[in-house]
Each structure stands twice: as C-alpha cells, then as structure tokens.
Amino acid sequence: MLVTLAQGPARWKVQLSDCPCPGEDARPRGQIGEVELSTSSPLAGAPGEPTAPHILPVLCCVCPPGSRALQGRTRGSRGCLLEQALFGLLFGVDASLLESPVILCGLPDGQLCCVVLKTLVTSRLSPGDPKALVKILHHLEEPVVFIGALKTESLAEDAEDTHPDCLVALGHDGRILAIKASWDEAGTLVPELREYQLPGPVLCAACGGSGRVYHSTPSELCVVDLARGRASGRGPGGLPSLLCPAGLGICSVVTLSVSCEVPEGGARLLALSARGRLMTCSLDLSSEMPCPTRAAVADTGQKIKELLSGIGTVSERVSSLKKAVDQRNKALTCLNEAMNVSCVLLASREGPRPISCTTTTAWSRLQPQDVLTATCRLENNSGLSLDRGWALCVQVLTSTPASDTDVAGSATTYTIPVDRLGPGDRREVTLPLGPGEDGALDLPLTVSCALHYSLREVVGGALAPSESFKDPFLDECPPDVLPEQDGICLPLSKHTVDMLQCLRFPGLATPHTQPSGLLGPVSDSVDTFLGSLGPRSEPAGPASLRAKFLPPSVATIKVSAELLRAALGDSHTAGTSLGCATLQWLLAENTALDVVRSRRLSSVQGVAPDGTDLHLTIREVAVTHLCTAGPMQTVEIQVESSSLASLCSAHHAVIGRLQRMVVEQAAQSSSPPDLRVQYLRQIHINHETLLREVQALRDRLCTEDEASSCGTAERLLQVYAQLRSPSLLLL
C-alpha cells in the first residue's frame, strides 16, 4: 500500500492506495481510503488553491512487535517498531488487537497526529465519523521536522523485547518531545511525556543506538543521550530531567543517517552537507558524555538570575538614556524655533512686523466703579508657531506724580503663557489700568508688550540629570549653565495711554450706543437724593467749590494751518473743515471718534476719569503780528477745565501729539516764512520774565505765613494762566 499526505484547500489529507506489483503499470490501482486531518490554523492561500508550505510535513509508519507489515526497505526514518506497552498506550487497544500499522503525521503547524491504517481501510466499506479515525498525540507549537524511535533501556541477558521503547518528535526550533511507558505512584502503566529544548534551527535528525539522538543545526552537529534516566536518580523507564547536547564538530548537515553500530559503543554516520559533500563519520562514544551535576545546575540557575538582573538594569538605563535623548531633541527643536522667531522679529524693526501686538483702551463697568481696561491683541502673521515656553509680558508703567517728582512711577507686569499660537492665529488679553483704590488714575500710562521665551522651562528639564541617568558631560559643567536672565525678551510694542484716550463724552452718545453706567462718573445714591431736593442741598466739596467760585483754567496752543494740512493729508477732505479734521486727529484713539466724525464737530465737552468736565475747542484764527508778509492762518486748540490736574493731563497729551507731528514733518516741510524776529524776541523775553516770577512766587510761598500766602498763590495762578496761553506759534 502507498500512504500519501496531500494538501487540500484548507486541510491536510491522508490518502491510502494500492501499490502496483512489479511489471504492472506504475500508476496506483485505486484509492482505498482517505481522511482529513484537523489543523489548528488554516493554511494561507487563495480560496480553493493550496499554498506550498515553507516546511514540509513528516510521515512515519509505526508497527507493533511481531507485525509483518513493515518491510525491510521502510525501516529507518520512515518506519519503526515500538514495544508493545508503549504502542498500546499511544494508539489504543484496537490498534494492538488488529496489529495494525499506525501512520504518524508531523504537520508544519506543530501537531503530531496518528491514523490507524487498518481502520482507514475499513472505513471505505463502513464509513463512520472521519474525526474518530484521527488522534492528536501532542502539539509542539513549532513545525515538526523529525519523528523516530529509539531504545533507552539497557538490555538484560534474558530480555526478549529489544524493540524501541521511546518515541521522539523534534521541532524546527529545537523543541524535542520524548514519550515512554512508565509506572505512576499507583502502579499503573501510563505514558510519560517530557519536552526539552535543544539548539536550533534543526536541519535534520536521526536516532541511533544506546538511546542517542543526532540533530544538525547550521553551526553544529550535536548528539544527546536519552538513556540516562538511571544516572539522574529516576526509576526504571524514567526520562532524564535535562539533556546536554555534545557538539561533534560538523556543521551544515542537511541529511543524516545512522548506517550501523560499531563495537564498544561507537557509531557510524552517513551525512550530506549543504554544499553537496557526502561524508562518512565514525564516532567513538564509549566515554561518558559530560552532564552537569546538581551543584552545577544550581550555579547555572544563579548565573541566569544574575544575567536577568543585569539585563533589567541595562534595560532601565537604556530607557533612561532614550528619555534623556528625547528630552534634549525636543529642547533643541524648541530652541531652533525660538531662534527663528527671534531672527524674524529682529529683522523687521521697521515696517509691519510678522508678529505684532496692538493695544486699545476702553471703559468697562465693574462694581462699584468704572474701570479703564487695555486690550492687547497678539497676532501671528508669520509662518512660525509659538509653542511651549513663550509668554506675553505686558508692563503697565504709571507716570511720576506731579505732587512729588522724587517718587518714581510704579510698574506692574503681567505674564500670560501663549501655549500655542500658530500661523494666522491671534489672542487677546484684557487688563485693568485703573483707577486705583484711591480713585486716582495717574496719566499718562505706558503699556509695553514683549514676548518672553523661558529657557529654564524648555531647556532646564533636559539639562537636569535624573536619578537613574547622569551624563558625565553634565558633571563637568557648572551647576547653573543657564544665563542669569533665564530667558529671551523680544519687545513688540509700546503704547501710551493719555487723557485724550480716556475722555468720555456722554453728551454725544445716543441711547442705543451708550451703555448704562458709563454716562459719567459714578454718583452716590445719597448725593442723587439730596440733589433732587433743590438748591438748598448743593454739595459743598472742594471740587464743587472750585467750579462754583473760580473760573475754569484754560490752555491754548496755536499751530500753523499749513503744517496741519500737510500732516493730516487724506484725512482732511474738501467737505471737512480744518478744525473738524484736527479734532478727529486728536481723538483718533478714543472710542467716540466715529460719533465726532459723523457729526463733523470742532468742539466737544467730555468727562475726565476723575469726573470733572473738560472742554476741547478747535477754531481757525489769523495771526497778524508775526509774519512780515501779512496775517497767517492758524488753528487754535483750546483746553478748558475746572480741574487743574485734568487740564494739565489733556494739555500734555495735545503737546505730545504735536511734537510727534513736527518731527515727522520736519524733513518734508519747506523753509518757514519771513518772520518778525524782533517780535519773537520780545515774546521770548516776556516768557523768561514769567518763568522767573514763577520761581520767585514759589520761593515766597515757602516762607510766608498762611494769611499773606493767599495773595501770592492768587498771583501764581495768574502767571501760570499766562504761560499756558503763550503768543508763540508752532510752525
């Protein structure tokens, strides 16, 4: 009979056919039986088409003692006899009674299956359950490359059964399975299965005499001895607990056969190398092969533990090194981005900046008073991103108090993390400017915006060594390698908040546009009730008395109409007078600009932050005594208020705008007209005289008593009024 193992679409099939007799047709006569093997995982391939396996399966025919089914030509690697006890334990009573050969199949998925040959023949005549014909003995979990049998027990003088008593299956990666018949503690005969691990991958294997198994790897031909159960302290029939491969000094053997035994425990092998060389190897294995003692095994276990501990330590160190390298790479990436942002900002000091910050002011209603707020808008119009480490720093610097010039203004700095600001993104921050707890708002205020990059936040973590990792380079560096400033500061903008931006105009706002609570300063409910009673309950505070009994303070500034026309440019259209255009220019940063422009006003009355009224008037006048050619057209800017503090703040704001305008127009304007120098000289002399009188009056106030100082103070106010309205013209 011919036994074949064929690959189907999803399963392996064992097929049995009649062999032709000599002289007949070489083709098989016909199929006798067929059964499918149960595979643990389907074979890879297209549906309906089997795929050639990477490792071919293994077939072996095992017969019980006394069976005549196994011919001499099939003995060896493809067929063997097993002792009766082991044969019955593995394949069952039916196979023993029928004395049927058994086909062992080692599959590429690691299964070791068996099929009783005579039951496969009879299944064609009386078909039953196909699964009952196949028995899975074991699963090696790796491709089976060899199945064989050998004798492990030493022969006694009166021994009759000299057949192999151990079945061996070898996997591709070196896992070997040995099965023997053994007695358990209850005295019952049971199969003993033991797995070992040998060097791999296994190219070929063969079973020899005296319980030896030869197996070949790409680097060595090894031999192991399974007949050492007695030497390891086990009872008869036991398997050794440990296999010790011994190298024979031959490599890359792809086919191996034990040709015959030689006297005194030797062996002769017939081997074919990977290069096609056929070799005969005579071995002398009479001496005891080395096998480790129990002490050596214990030492080996201890060394394995130490090696595993060392591997764990190395793994932790590698993990720490990788973490440190990742931190430094991230820090270098962040530093590179910060350098690019710095270069972009420093290269664009003139003209529009790719990363800018603009500041606007507005009044907000917060209990129990109105608060002036500044909104800083950070815009990123570059192709770079502001990531971790960047922060927007806003510094609010108050002016020096007029009452005490020795005291410097206070500065408050706000730091807002940017987190992430990508290209085209913007972010707004609103901050309170005042008034403070005392109700005063010291004007002008300077709001400075800058970008700050924290080196310690980004680089500090990468430079600080962890407990498990210390870089020798860091040990040589000083402990503080970062600069003292701890970061990079890039100025963005500086904005001055003066009186003209803080003025409110409740008389201009319509009921739909003016929010409630912002019509003027906050008034107390008691004052409102007393005011409703009539003239008998007029308030008697210092501000009310000053407004009632003293005339308002006035400051006047005259500017050349030609200079204003050149500075205003397109904003001065034909339909708008020069006075209206000038007022719009002065209130360009005030929230009431749209109302002033729509109504074309040249005079407006507003409310200062302290609640006092302030009147701005712009009119065109002619100056007749200054130019030799005749009258000059000028624009007179008049500021009027009952509060000296509000008047000075507004006057300072107007002067600041005019100074910046003159600087911008100085390089573009033509030569000034012919002036009367003697008239200018006389004005200058009068101005110097008034300044000397102011100094004398202030010195006299320090020495006079309270009764005589009233006249001096009144004269000082008159001189100040003359100085605030000089006859000079700004050309």
Side-chain angles (χ1 to χ4, degrees):
M1 290 181 290
L2 176 65
V3 181
T4 59
L5 186 60
Q7 183 181 355
R11 296 175 181 269
W12 293 96
K13 295 181 180 180
V14 177
Q15 297 174 343
L16 188 63
S17 305
D18 280 333
C19 279
C21 297
E24 297 180 355
D25 189 1
R27 291 177 297 179
R29 297 179 180 176
Q31 184 173 313
I32 300 176
E34 178 182 300
V35 66
E36 289 186 347
L37 302 182
S38 175
T39 55
S40 59
S41 58
L43 299 174
E49 296 183 2
T51 303
H54 176 65
I55 298 177
L56 295 177
V58 179
L59 282 179
C60 181
C61 183
V62 179
C63 297
S67 175
R68 299 180 180 180
L70 201 60
Q71 303 296 328
R73 67 176 65 182
T74 61
R75 288 180 178 267
S77 60
R78 295 300 182 94
C80 59
L81 295 173
L82 279 184
E83 67 172 1
Q84 188 66 44
L86 182 58
F87 188 89
L89 288 175
L90 290 179
F91 310 122
V93 179
D94 293 341
S96 299
L97 293 177
L98 294 174
E99 295 184 352
S100 170
V102 177
I103 303 300
L104 290 177
C105 306
L107 301 181
D109 64 353
Q111 289 190 82
L112 182 62
C113 308
C114 67
V115 178
V116 179
L117 201 58
K118 290 187 177 181
T119 58
L120 182 60
V121 175
T122 58
S123 65
R124 182 173 62 91
L125 303 176
S126 57
D129 186 7
K131 296 181 180 179
L133 303 178
V134 181
K135 180 179 180 182
I136 299 177
L137 298 179
H138 194 71
H139 202 301
L140 278 180
E141 298 182 358
E142 59 186 62
V144 181
V145 296
F146 173 76
I147 301 174
L150 49 84
K151 183 71 176 178
T152 60
E153 296 292 336
S154 59
L155 297 177
E157 296 180 357
D158 56 349
E160 297 181 357
D161 190 359
T162 60
H163 300 295
D165 58 359
C166 181
L167 184 66
V168 177
L170 187 59
H172 177 265
D173 296 330
R175 181 174 295 179
I176 182 173
L177 170 69
I179 307 176
K180 284 190 65 175
S182 179
W183 300 96
D184 61 1
E185 297 179 356
T188 305
L189 194 63
V190 294
E192 178 185 0
L193 287 80
R194 188 178 291 272
E195 286 188 356
Y196 307 93
Q197 185 64 44
L198 301 178
V202 177
L203 301 179
C204 63
C207 292
S210 303
R212 295 185 178 94
V213 178
Y214 305 90
H215 74 283
S216 172
T217 66
S219 60
E220 187 68 87
L221 177 62
C222 302
V223 57
V224 292
D225 192 356
L226 288 172
R228 292 192 175 267
R230 292 183 295 272
S232 59
R234 303 287 297 274
L239 291 169
S241 58
L242 182 66
L243 291 184
C244 304
L248 302 179
I250 305 173
C251 63
S252 300
V253 174
V254 295
T255 303
L256 184 65
S257 175
V258 181
S259 59
C260 62
E261 298 291 339
V262 298
E264 299 180 359
R268 181 172 297 169
L269 306 179
L270 187 63
L272 180 65
S273 68
R275 295 186 178 182
R277 181 177 299 175
L278 187 62
M279 299 174 290
T280 301
C281 308
S282 298
L283 306 177
D284 183 10
L285 302 176
S286 58
S287 59
E288 293 289 335
M289 288 188 295
C291 189
T293 61
R294 293 183 180 271
V297 172
D299 293 341
T300 303
Q302 182 63 28
K303 290 181 180 179
I304 291 175
K305 291 181 181 179
E306 294 176 357
L307 287 174
L308 292 177
S309 177
I311 291 173
T313 303
V314 172
S315 176
E316 292 179 0
R317 179 169 176 80
V318 169
S319 177
S320 300
L321 286 171
K322 185 178 182 301
K323 182 179 179 181
V325 170
D326 292 341
Q327 286 182 348
R328 296 187 181 185
N329 288 339
K330 291 180 181 179
L332 289 176
T333 302
C334 294
L335 286 178
N336 184 40
E337 294 177 354
M339 184 64 67
N340 293 335
V341 172
S342 302
C343 293
V344 167
L345 287 177
L346 294 177
S348 58
R349 294 188 176 183
E350 297 181 359
R353 312 189 78 177
I355 301 177
S356 61
C357 187
T358 56
T359 304
T360 57
T361 57
W363 285 92
S364 299
R365 179 60 173 170
L366 297 176
Q367 296 293 340
Q369 62 181 358
D370 296 342
V371 176
L372 182 65
T373 60
T375 300
C376 302
R377 176 181 294 179
L378 179 64
E379 296 188 37
N380 183 11
N381 296 320
S382 67
L384 305 173
S385 296
L386 302 180
D387 294 324
R388 183 173 65 94
W390 287 103
L392 177 64
C393 295
V394 182
Q395 185 186 60
V396 180
L397 178 64
T398 61
S399 60
T400 303
S403 59
D404 192 354
T405 58
D406 297 333
V407 179
S410 61
T412 304
T413 303
Y414 302 90
T415 302
I416 302 97
V418 176
D419 292 335
R420 178 174 179 81
L421 191 70
D425 295 343
R426 63 178 60 181
R427 190 154 301 162
E428 291 186 356
V429 178
T430 301
L431 306 172
L433 298 180
E437 297 179 357
D438 55 353
L441 182 63
D442 297 326
L443 295 175
L445 297 172
T446 302
V447 181
S448 301
C449 299
L451 277 178
H452 182 268
Y453 186 75
S454 176
L455 291 175
R456 188 168 300 277
E457 179 182 352
V458 177
V459 186
L463 294 180
S466 60
E467 296 181 358
S468 58
F469 166 66
K470 291 187 178 180
D471 194 341
F473 171 75
L474 293 178
D475 296 339
E476 299 174 0
C477 295
D480 191 3
V481 297
L482 294 176
E484 294 182 359
Q485 61 268 24
D486 198 17
I488 303 172
C489 189
L490 302 172
L492 293 178
S493 63
K494 181 180 289 187
H495 182 78
T496 301
V497 181
D498 53 25
M499 177 61 75
L500 294 180
Q501 299 179 38
C502 301
L503 286 177
R504 287 174 287 178
F505 303 96
L508 298 180
T510 61
H512 301 286
T513 59
Q514 180 69 27
S516 60
L518 296 180
L519 297 177
V522 179
S523 59
D524 188 78
S525 58
V526 177
D527 293 338
T528 304
F529 172 73
L530 294 177
S532 63
L533 297 179
R536 293 175 298 176
S537 59
E538 293 179 356
S544 301
L545 293 176
R546 187 187 310 115
K548 181 177 181 180
F549 297 105
L550 293 178
S553 301
V554 180
T556 305
I557 306 169
K558 292 185 177 66
V559 188
S560 169
E562 183 181 356
L563 177 63
L564 281 174
R565 290 191 186 96
L568 296 179
D570 297 337
S571 60
H572 176 220
T573 59
T576 305
S577 65
L578 187 58
C580 296
T582 303
L583 183 61
Q584 295 172 17
W585 173 68
L586 291 176
L587 300 178
E589 297 176 336
N590 195 290
T591 56
L593 174 64
D594 295 337
V595 180
V596 174
R597 182 184 290 116
S598 62
R599 298 187 183 183
R600 297 184 180 182
L601 300 176
S602 60
S603 177
V604 67
Q605 182 172 352
V607 179
D610 60 355
T612 58
D613 294 336
L614 191 142
H615 193 195
L616 276 176
T617 303
I618 314 295
R619 54 176 172 263
E620 299 183 37
V621 297
V623 177
T624 58
H625 305 292
L626 186 60
C627 183
T628 58
M632 289 186 62
Q633 292 297 322
T634 63
V635 174
E636 182 183 77
I637 303 174
Q638 179 178 304
V639 183
E640 181 181 347
S641 177
S642 60
S643 170
L644 281 176
S646 300
L647 176 74
C648 292
S649 295
H651 185 251
H652 183 273
V654 174
I655 291 295
R657 281 164 172 72
L658 292 176
Q659 286 177 342
R660 291 191 293 271
M661 180 189 68
V662 170
V663 172
E664 294 174 358
Q665 297 296 323
Q668 304 175 6
S669 61
S670 59
S671 59
D674 294 333
L675 303 177
R676 294 180 179 179
V677 180
Q678 187 64 30
Y679 181 73
L680 289 176
R681 187 175 299 168
Q682 186 61 42
I683 293 176
H684 180 67
I685 292 173
N686 296 339
H687 189 78
E688 293 290 335
T689 302
L690 291 175
L691 289 177
R692 285 193 296 270
E693 185 178 359
V694 166
Q695 187 62 41
L697 291 173
R698 295 185 64 176
D699 294 341
R700 191 187 306 173
L701 283 175
C702 298
T703 58
E704 291 180 346
D705 55 3
E706 184 177 356
S708 59
S709 62
C710 292
T712 304
E714 183 178 355
R715 175 57 188 165
L716 183 60
L717 291 177
Q718 295 175 359
V719 176
Y720 274 141
Q722 296 178 22
L723 287 174
R724 285 194 297 270
S725 299
S727 301
L728 292 175
L729 176 64
L730 186 60
L731 296 177

